[in-house]
Structure formats: C-alpha cells, structure tokens
Amino acid sequence: MTSGPEGSDGVEDLVVACDVGGTAIKAGLVDACGSVRHDDGLPTPVVAGDGAATADAVLAEVVRITARLRESAAERDARVVALGVIVPGLVDAEAGLARYSENLGWRDVPFVRRLARATGLPVGFDHDVRAAGAAEQRLGAGRGRRDVAFVPVGTGISASLVLDGRPYAGGGWAGEIGHLDAGSGLPCPCGGTGCLETVASASAIRRRYEERTGRAVSGAVDVAARLERGDPDARAVWDAAIDALAASLTGLAAIAAPELVLIGGGLSGAGDALLAPLRRALDARLTLQRRPELRLAGLGDRAGLLGAALLAWERVGVRVAEPEPHTSRPDAHRTPAADPAT
Ligand SMILES: [Zn+2]
C-alpha cells in the first residue's frame, strides 16, 4: 500500500470525514489509502421538534470537529485538503442539499455551501448508505469489483449500487428495494402491499416472531439462533424473510446485474444462517440472469466514515482504491487531470 499523496513541501495530505447519524456523528482523519488515522465523534445534537435548529447545531459541530482534526493533522506534519460529510434521509448530492430526514427533522439544508463557507475546504457530500456502499466496493468486501450492490438489512432495507465502478444514485431514488412488492401480501406504512421490509427487515423478523409466539426476543439474530434449536416459529418467520429477500435480489439481478451482493446491517450478524439459505433460494429463482456472488459486508459501522472520506478525496481529484477494468489494483492514485505533475 502506498502512503498518501504529499504536496511539494513533503507535508502529507489527509481529509476530514464526518458520518452524521441519527444518534452520533462519527468523524476522523483519513489518508489516501483509506486508513483512518485519528477518530473523533460526539452525540448528534438533536433539537427536538425543530429540524432547522438541529441542522444549525449539526453544521456547527461538523465545523468544530473539522477545526479540531485540522489541529491534530498539523501536529503530525500533515494537512487537511478536503472535507467529506454524509447524512441520512433524502439527499440531493449534486445540489449539495440534505432534502429531508425523518429522524433529524430537517428540510433542504445546503450542507455543501454552508460547510465550504465555514471551513474554506472543498466539501464532498452524499447519502450515508450510498457512501457506505461505495466504501464497501473500494475498501471492504467488494474490493476489486466494479458492479456491487450493498444491501444493509436493519430497521429498513435498501440497496446501494456501484455500477461500473461508480455509485449510482438515480437522483437519490435508486435502490429502494425495501418497498418493492416481495410477495408477503402484508400492508406497509409506505402505502404499498407486500413490501420486502414487511417480512425481511431485522425489525420485521423480530416483530413477526414476537407476534406469533408472544415471546420477546432481543432481535432478528436471536430469532436466527432459535433455528438451531428446531423452533418451528423461528423457522417460519426466517423462511419467509429469506424467500422475500431472494425474490427482491432476483429483481435486482435482472435489472442492475451486480456481480457481487454484500449483505450488511444488523441482520448480517446472523452470518451463515442468513447467507447459506439465501444463496440456495436465489439460485433456485435465477434463470438466465447474471448470478451474483453473495457475501457479508466487511467494514461494519466504519463503512459510512470511509465513504465520507472517499467523497472528500474525490473532491480533490483522488480516487482511492479504484479497481481497473478487469484487474484489481487497490493502490490509491491521482487521476491524470487532477495531478499537476502530468
Ligand atoms: Zn413499503
């Protein structure tokens, strides 16, 4: 692995990455190989019932964290060349806007403009799950692959797509497989019927098991653990989830043809109890579609932070760990257009 790029003065370049979540802001200094050099973070400053005030407080914290991380970069003879920030909800990355977040309550917050003005840095900005998917493709379990779907299964389900090496956003709307009809026949809060999330999200698996048995469980992974003990209710709930996931991934294979599907989120904690039957169910459904390899995601809750770092690097012309077509070349390199030496 190469070291990060250096300016002509020999000072190493780093970026500040911020993953703004519903409960915490994770931040760090990240080099051009995708290594986190220094961690920081704090609880997300939520102003109850006031999305605009929450946005102001979050932006102020990101500016403060950035200043702090710039100081720690200077202490190690490095400098910060860009800032990358990711947020949940609906995001218009091209316009630099956080359109809407149900958890944080904000609407149309110009993150990029406000952070660029306050920090003087180039700002990369995107949706949290999309950025995490890009990080999995470049630095995690999808390293070296160009067509990757990252599918976090937690309270909800979505697919973050990297197609031909580039994140595909569809204006922020792509990959919402959680609200495609997967055949459950159940009503969904979105207004649809049979949505994948009604049976296969980690929350749905837990809820359906509890409703069926009257027994409390700690989560979907706990339901998976009961399969080994021959619990027929766990089996019924689990099989329905696997079947719906396989149906949705079949649609994904037909439309986007990922070579690799990475399952992340809380449900991935079930490991082989999830992957083995899902592989079988998917195999049984696929006919002439490209058969995606199925794996667990590799970066865990670091994926977002690293995704934010990739966005920051991209703003200054560095594509970290980009795979070449048909080869795997994990080293960081500058794109020729951005390299003043070429
Ligand atoms: Zn739905």
Side-chain angles (χ1 to χ4, degrees):
M1 197 172 270
T2 60
S3 65
E6 290 181 358
S8 52
D9 51 3
V11 177
E12 189 189 9
D13 291 345
L14 299 172
V15 297
V16 169
C18 282
D19 174 1
V20 177
T23 56
I25 300 176
K26 295 187 203 105
L29 281 172
V30 182
D31 69 19
C33 297
S35 300
V36 180
R37 296 291 190 83
H38 184 79
D39 269 312
D40 203 334
L42 76 168
T44 305
V46 178
V47 182
D50 190 341
T54 296
D56 287 345
V58 165
L59 285 161
E61 280 304 344
V62 171
V63 170
R64 262 195 292 275
I65 291 171
T66 302
R68 215 154 57 214
L69 288 171
R70 276 175 133 165
E71 279 169 26
S72 40
E75 281 162 18
R76 53 194 84 193
D77 292 324
R79 88 189 124 215
V80 170
V81 294
L83 166 64
V85 178
I86 59 170
V87 298
L90 273 177
V91 172
D92 185 340
E94 267 178 43
L97 287 176
R99 285 269 179 228
Y100 174 68
S101 164
E102 195 176 324
N103 288 337
L104 297 168
W106 61 45
R107 277 181 193 279
D108 296 327
V109 186
F111 262 79
V112 170
R113 186 165 52 78
R114 290 180 63 178
L115 289 172
R117 200 169 50 201
T119 64
L121 290 168
V123 178
F125 177 70
D126 208 340
H127 179 247
D128 53 0
V129 175
R130 196 155 44 246
E136 285 287 353
Q137 181 253 338
R138 300 271 197 87
L139 301 165
R143 234 185 144 117
R145 305 297 190 87
R146 294 185 69 84
D147 299 318
V148 179
F150 168 57
V151 181
V153 184
T155 53
I157 305 172
S158 61
S160 160
L161 301 171
V162 176
L163 302 177
D164 198 22
R166 303 280 158 162
Y168 179 75
W173 301 95
E176 293 291 348
I177 59 170
H179 296 284
L180 260 182
D181 188 352
S184 78
L186 297 168
C188 178
C190 78
T193 301
C195 293
L196 177 62
E197 285 188 7
T198 62
V199 286
S201 70
S203 319
I205 290 170
R206 174 191 184 165
R207 187 187 64 243
R208 280 164 52 79
Y209 181 83
E210 289 182 342
E211 281 170 2
R212 206 180 155 99
T213 62
R215 294 194 295 272
V217 284
S218 63
V221 173
D222 192 5
V223 175
R226 285 160 198 249
L227 297 171
E228 282 180 28
R229 292 176 236 151
D231 181 332
D233 294 302
R235 172 57 59 197
V237 168
W238 196 257
D239 285 354
I242 295 290
D243 194 52
L245 278 169
S248 298
L249 293 183
T250 300
L252 195 62
I255 295 164
E259 59 192 311
L260 176 66
V261 173
L262 299 173
I263 307 287
L267 198 65
S268 65
D272 260 355
L274 172 68
L275 280 196
L278 185 54
R279 266 192 206 110
R280 280 196 300 273
L282 186 59
D283 257 353
R285 281 176 178 269
L286 291 171
T287 55
L288 42 72
Q289 299 86 358
R290 184 186 211 177
R291 274 168 201 264
E293 189 184 335
L294 214 55
R295 283 195 215 159
L296 298 177
L299 298 175
D301 62 3
R302 292 283 246 194
L305 185 70
L306 291 170
L310 296 182
L311 291 165
W313 278 118
E314 206 138 306
R315 285 289 286 115
V316 289
V318 178
R319 292 193 45 88
V320 178
E322 182 177 33
E324 302 283 326
H326 311 303
T327 64
S328 171
R329 208 183 98 182
D331 291 338
H333 60 278
R334 278 177 186 271
T335 54
D339 190 339
T342 56

